[in-house]
Amino acid sequence: MTAELGHYALILAAIVAIAQSIVPLIGAQKRWADWMEFSVPTAQVQFLLVGISFAMLTWAFVTSDFSVELVAANSHSDKPMLYKVTGVWGNHEGSLLLWVLTLALFGAMVAWWGDNLPPTLKARVLSVQAMVGVAFYAFILFTSNPFTRLEFPPMDGNDLNPLLQDPGLAFHPPFLYIGYVGLSTTFSFAVAALIEGKVTPAWARWVRPWALAAWVCLTIGIGLGSWWAYYELGWGGWWFWDPVENASFMPWLISAALLHSAIVTEKRNTLKSWTILLAILAFSFSLIGTFIVRSGVITSVHAFASDPTRGMFILGILAVSIGGALTLFALRAHELRSNVVFGVLSRESALVMNNVLLAVSAGVVFIGTLWPLIAEFLTGAKISVGPPFFNIAFTPFFVALGMILPIGAMMPWKRAKLGKTIRPLTGAIALSLAVGCFIWATQTGGGMIAPIGGLLATWLVLGAATDLAFRAKAGQVSGGETFRRLRNLPRADWGKATAHSGLGILMFAAATITVWQTEDIRTMTPGDTFEKAGYTLRFDGVERARVENYISDMAQITAFKDGEVVAILNPEKRFYPVQSFPTTEAAIDRSITRDLYISLGDRQDDGSWAVRTWVKPYANWLWVGMLMMAFGGILSLTDRRFRIGAPAQKGSRVAAVPAE
């Protein structure tokens, strides 16, 4: 009965979402207070019903109820409990249920925490949020029902994709979904504002926390996925410009642009049309990512489904939501004009340039991801667009972004003088150039990529520190007063400095690991040794063992430096009998300045084993940079201005009347 209960709860949630999408919208138009208030309980009830549905599916996985088709296809009685639970969203149908659960959660949070919103705006936001939900409820119920029963249940299940049986993949999808679906809230705010025909600084302040929360979760989700790919797949890389990697990266770029654009709208009451457009595009790219993952148009290790019917359904959702929102934007854009004037040199202009670079970067990723499909459709020829294209086309825009961030952050609003703005940054400029020159002079090969990465990292970190010091009037007041001013700075300022510094560290790590890593591939038998980057590595042998639901071939490789043991590494090959699927578990000895990364290959006919070894400089700095960016966003979210938000506009509640 648990599967049937989950199915019925999902149907009821869809019915509630239909009511929520209609009644409050009419109430906002008619100014009927009770109809607008209807959005609050329906949002809460919808979340409760979807929560029940998700709990019932989780219970089916936990108890290994193989009469449910989804459980039989994606679980196994011998699977560890963690992966039984994560198996709920490790497939197409279950992940869609997680999607609508997250969508309903965000709607409920707007209902809970939106008391400071004008009643008409709140009602319209919750109504639009429910409309998005209705589309996905229909998608699940008509094409992807997770509660389908089997007439003849098997004795055991088919197991979860072995690549997904990893802690990194247990938490990576939920964070990504929170990010993807969190952008639906900014989309709902944008469409609601277009329906009302006005965008105010207060609206921008209400939108920013939702955009920031989504961006933080996307950052964490992308970071976890990159970390998983690095140590799990055994290929030695952390980013491959895979189409599904790109599907999460595009909304991350656009949401970053939205965050900066919303600042201008809030502070200066301008860029309103652009901010609205970015809010629409951010969620649009999330939907495009959903289409890429679930339509089967692109092959990827991340893809969930390859059903054309499902792809067409998602394409319909894309057409209606994006097309409808952009049509409404075109009709209302003339009402969002601003007469605010600012100079070419100003913080507004710097933030506009920031937005242009982020948007163009997203456009490059979008074109590169979809170009093989477009080319095949137009010419019938199959082509591939890989890392070389993205590295060449994408990198210059992010280098330019890194160059302008510290300067733009210190420019005053309305108009600025370049010399006056740069003067406090003189030391940061000089030291950054010195670091870049030092790396260029001491490296052996690699061109300018690593020096530029070092220069940008130093520039962003020192620029952020200079900005904080300038705000605290360091050097102009006493040390105690400087410390007091630093302590009293808004948390959003500290968050911005942390996030920008994290971006710099990430740029440095990406540059150095790309050009300075070294690789060795060979076959080895027990007792063999070889030299690599100052290390002596000895192959001690391979042991086979049965571990839970897989068979393990685990090697032992001892690393020596100057005759002393520095690490014992155990790279592993796993074989999952149920799915006849092998996986690779890399062994990594981590340090501050390098990773010693070893991957075990296949056994050869002569009894030797293939061993692949990398020395990866500053690899851990990749994850440090990503964590710093996420922490900076979280720090900004705790800012008092975000917690309190803007007050409701006076008179908005008085205008609402009971429905007759």
Side-chain angles (χ1 to χ4, degrees):
M1 280 296 293
T2 54
E4 286 71 27
L5 179 59
H7 192 196
Y8 295 149
L10 192 61
I11 294 171
L12 288 175
I15 294 171
V16 171
I18 292 171
Q20 182 185 331
S21 65
I22 297 172
V23 175
L25 203 61
I26 296 174
Q29 185 66 29
K30 300 290 186 180
R31 298 284 177 145
W32 292 343
D34 47 353
W35 283 46
M36 288 189 284
E37 283 296 323
F38 181 77
S39 62
V40 174
T42 49
Q44 296 170 345
V45 169
Q46 185 193 155
F47 173 60
L48 176 63
L49 289 169
V50 182
I52 292 172
S53 181
F54 190 82
M56 293 302 99
L57 184 62
T58 303
W59 181 253
F61 271 85
V62 168
T63 59
S64 297
D65 184 357
F66 298 120
S67 67
V68 178
E69 183 179 3
L70 192 67
V71 179
N74 295 279
S75 191
H76 192 274
S77 57
D78 289 338
K79 192 166 63 173
M81 182 56 68
L82 173 63
Y83 304 131
K84 287 185 178 181
V85 174
T86 58
V88 176
W89 55 79
N91 55 81
H92 169 71
E93 292 83 357
S95 63
L96 269 181
L97 189 58
L98 177 62
W99 176 286
V100 294
L101 175 67
T102 311
L103 191 69
L105 172 61
F106 272 90
M109 288 194 296
V110 172
W112 294 329
W113 301 333
D115 291 340
N116 59 337
L117 297 174
T120 53
L121 180 64
K122 181 178 179 180
R124 286 176 171 133
V125 168
L126 288 173
S127 180
V128 175
Q129 189 81 358
M131 290 179 189
V132 176
V134 169
F136 279 92
Y137 286 127
F139 184 31
I140 294 177
L141 292 171
F142 294 133
T143 73
S144 310
N145 181 12
F147 297 103
T148 302
R149 290 279 194 183
L150 290 173
E151 184 177 359
F152 302 104
M155 292 296 295
D156 217 327
N158 194 44
D159 207 358
L160 177 67
N161 182 344
L163 288 175
L164 304 182
Q165 296 188 40
D166 182 85
L169 261 291
F171 303 103
H172 159 66
F175 275 106
L176 272 188
Y177 288 170
I178 294 172
Y180 279 145
V181 181
L183 293 174
S184 70
T185 312
T186 62
F187 174 84
S188 298
F189 268 95
V191 174
L194 288 173
I195 294 173
E196 291 197 347
K198 59 181 179 181
V199 176
T200 64
W203 175 90
R205 175 170 287 192
W206 291 319
V207 166
R208 281 181 63 198
W210 301 103
L212 184 55
W215 180 85
V216 166
C217 290
L218 274 176
T219 303
I220 296 173
I222 292 171
L224 284 172
S226 174
W227 178 58
W228 165 80
Y230 177 70
Y231 72 79
E232 170 68 20
L233 298 182
W235 62 302
W238 62 279
W239 190 263
F240 194 66
W241 296 105
D242 178 273
V244 182
E245 289 177 336
N246 297 345
S248 59
F249 192 40
M250 289 184 287
W252 185 88
L253 291 168
I254 296 296
S255 59
L258 171 61
L259 284 172
H260 293 85
S261 179
I263 295 173
V264 183
T265 303
E266 178 188 347
K267 302 294 186 183
R268 297 284 292 143
N269 195 28
T270 189
L271 296 188
K272 293 186 286 188
S273 296
W274 179 242
T275 303
I276 288 284
L277 181 60
L278 286 175
I280 293 171
L281 290 178
F283 185 57
S284 299
F285 275 113
S286 293
L287 292 178
I288 290 171
T290 304
F291 174 73
I292 290 173
V293 174
R294 301 174 191 279
S295 63
V297 297
I298 290 179
T299 302
S300 166
V301 67
H302 305 79
F304 275 125
S306 58
D307 186 345
T309 303
R310 292 170 176 172
M312 292 303 296
F313 204 112
I314 299 175
L315 207 56
I317 295 174
L318 272 168
V320 173
S321 57
I322 300 176
L326 291 178
T327 300
L328 186 59
F329 174 77
L331 294 174
R332 293 288 200 181
H334 68 282
E335 301 177 19
L336 304 178
R337 293 176 182 170
S338 173
N339 296 321
V340 175
V341 178
F342 52 86
V344 174
L345 291 176
S346 63
R347 184 174 295 188
E348 293 93 328
S349 294
L351 288 169
V352 168
M353 181 59 66
N354 164 288
N355 272 220
V356 169
L357 290 171
L358 286 168
V360 172
S361 299
V364 168
V365 178
F366 177 74
I367 292 171
T369 303
L370 294 186
W371 185 249
L373 294 177
I374 298 171
E376 184 176 358
F377 176 77
L378 295 177
T379 66
K382 291 184 178 292
I383 65 170
S384 62
V385 176
F389 165 80
F390 289 106
N391 292 337
I392 293 172
F394 177 86
T395 302
F397 297 107
F398 244 59
V399 170
L401 179 68
M403 295 299 294
I404 69 169
L405 274 180
I407 299 174
M410 294 192 65
M411 279 186 172
W413 295 104
K414 199 170 183 178
R415 58 179 57 89
K417 293 182 178 179
L418 187 59
K420 185 176 180 182
T421 301
I422 289 181
R423 193 173 299 120
L425 291 165
T426 304
I429 294 172
L431 190 54
S432 301
L433 289 171
V435 169
C437 291
F438 175 78
I439 294 174
W440 178 75
T442 56
Q443 71 176 359
T444 54
M448 291 302 296
I449 296 178
I452 290 174
L455 184 153
L456 285 175
T458 309
W459 170 235
L460 285 167
V461 173
L462 293 182
T466 302
D467 185 26
L468 292 175
F470 181 79
R471 293 175 185 276
K473 296 188 176 180
Q476 303 177 38
V477 296
S478 66
E481 177 63 16
T482 299
F483 179 77
R484 187 191 68 80
R485 288 173 178 269
L486 283 171
R487 185 181 60 195
N488 293 333
L489 282 176
R491 291 183 186 177
D493 289 344
W494 283 100
K496 176 185 70 175
T498 304
H500 287 182
S501 299
L503 177 63
I505 290 172
L506 175 62
M507 286 181 171
F508 172 71
T512 55
I513 199 173
T514 299
V515 299
W516 288 349
Q517 70 175 359
T518 58
E519 180 182 1
D520 179 274
I521 305 175
R522 65 180 62 225
T523 60
M524 303 186 74
T525 57
D528 288 350
T529 63
F530 71 99
E531 303 291 325
K532 181 65 178 174
Y535 295 91
T536 300
L537 292 103
R538 185 184 68 206
F539 186 79
D540 297 325
V542 176
E543 290 187 3
R544 170 165 290 195
R546 178 68 185 247
V547 183
E548 295 182 316
N549 60 329
Y550 63 87
I551 298 170
S552 167
D553 285 321
M554 181 179 292
Q556 177 170 304
I557 297 176
T558 305
F560 300 86
K561 191 174 182 67
D562 299 328
E564 296 184 1
V565 175
V566 295
I568 296 176
L569 299 104
N570 299 109
E572 183 182 7
K573 292 287 288 186
R574 293 179 179 178
F575 180 76
Y576 291 78
V578 175
Q579 290 201 349
S580 297
F581 195 96
T583 65
T584 301
E585 301 287 327
I588 307 173
D589 179 56
R590 305 177 188 274
S591 72
I592 295 175
T593 59
R594 63 97 184 107
D595 274 3
L596 181 58
Y597 185 111
I598 301 180
S599 175
L600 183 66
D602 295 326
R603 183 170 183 169
Q604 308 300 302
D605 293 338
D606 61 359
S608 63
W609 289 82
V611 177
R612 195 172 183 183
T613 306
W614 289 268
V615 176
K616 296 177 172 292
Y618 303 102
N620 285 324
W621 291 35
L622 291 165
W623 329 122
V624 171
M626 291 181 186
L627 286 174
M628 285 182 65
M629 287 193 290
F631 179 72
I634 294 170
L635 200 59
S636 295
L637 273 175
T638 64
D639 193 297
R640 182 175 180 273
R641 293 171 295 179
F642 282 140
R643 295 198 308 271
I644 295 176
Q649 295 177 0
K650 294 182 179 180
S652 59
R653 297 186 183 277
V654 178
V657 297
E660 296 180 1

